[in-house]
Amino acid sequence: MRVAIAGAGAVGRSIARELVRSEHHVMLLERKLEHVDPEAIPEAHWVHADACELGLLEAAKLESYDVVIAATGDDKANIVVSLLAKTEFAVRRVVARVNDPRNEWLFDESWGVDVAVSTPRMLASLVEEAVSVGDLVRLMTFRQGQANLVEITLPDDTPLAGKPVRRIQLPRDAALVTIIRGGRVITPQPDDPIEGGDELVFVASVEVEDQLQDAVGLTR
């Protein structure tokens, strides 16, 4: 893919390194000249530009990119970048970083955001996860599809223990995407057995979360 990242700070550079490692074409847009350092990630295309300036985005040919990631430390800038990417350049996928959880409500499709990533919210979710065996924990919201990435850690005495994945009667708008077991990430197959203590990660719409808990034998 061709991915444009607005913001070449610590977050933007980390994302760029991962994408370059996966052999994607990456462009880093950075407003502050002192942060432009092509030697840091030589495989990326570096552009000294304010990603909130329409003319500079046109010069960078943003319309030729498949994904835009608004990764600056300024929520206002991330909103503007997202809106411009979607409305002016018709970028197919826009991912935005949310720095202040109080601004999270702004990061939706009306502002051009397909996926909003709130680091504070994710960290809080992980803390909840550590103390919430048997509960459903929301890890991430996919705004455009009105769906969530959710995790459920099964108790040791789960009634599903020893039963195959296919025995889980999932609601219509839910899908089991992975099982985390003892540090392993397992792509679930119909005949794979469920074990107590498994962390099940689903993509599910908000409306079926209660049904999802019922499907894995949890009481609410």
Side-chain angles (χ1 to χ4, degrees), residues 26-201:
V26 175
M27 175 174 66
L28 278 163
L29 298 157
E30 175 52 49
R31 178 176 61 87
K32 297 179 180 179
L33 183 58
E34 62 270 23
H35 288 173
V36 177
D37 183 10
E39 293 183 0
I41 311 174
E43 302 90 347
H45 175 50
W46 290 74
V47 178
H48 177 218
D50 186 339
C52 295
E53 293 289 340
L54 182 59
L56 297 177
L57 294 178
E58 290 175 343
K61 301 186 184 306
L62 197 68
E63 70 277 3
S64 69
Y65 284 80
D66 304 300
V67 180
V68 165
I69 301 174
T72 80
D74 184 338
D75 284 346
K76 297 187 294 297
N78 289 343
I79 282 287
V80 172
V81 170
S82 299
L83 187 61
L84 289 176
K86 186 65 71 173
T87 61
E88 298 295 329
F89 299 95
V91 175
R92 182 169 54 87
R93 193 72 167 164
V94 177
V95 179
R97 171 188 177 188
V98 185
N99 297 278
D100 187 339
R102 292 173 297 181
N103 297 329
E104 196 170 0
W105 64 277
L106 282 168
F107 288 75
D108 60 18
E109 64 274 9
S110 65
W111 285 96
V113 179
D114 295 310
V115 179
V117 180
S118 172
T119 302
R121 173 65 62 86
M122 291 182 70
L123 289 173
S125 296
L126 291 172
V127 170
E128 290 179 26
E129 178 186 351
V131 296
S132 59
V133 171
D135 291 336
L136 181 146
V137 178
R138 291 181 184 175
L139 299 176
M140 183 184 295
T141 298
F142 300 99
R143 296 289 187 184
Q144 190 175 43
Q146 296 299 308
N148 294 318
L149 185 69
V150 302
E151 183 270 348
I152 297 175
T153 299
L154 298 177
D156 291 336
D157 60 351
T158 175
L160 291 174
K163 296 181 180 178
V165 167
R166 57 183 161 76
R167 290 287 297 276
I168 304 177
Q169 299 298 312
L170 294 177
R172 179 176 181 179
D173 294 322
L176 175 62
V177 294
T178 194
I179 300 171
I180 302 173
R181 178 184 300 154
R184 294 177 55 220
V185 176
I186 301 168
T187 301
Q189 302 299 319
D191 292 325
D192 288 344
I194 300 294
E195 296 181 8
D198 280 354
E199 298 178 47
L200 308 183
V201 181

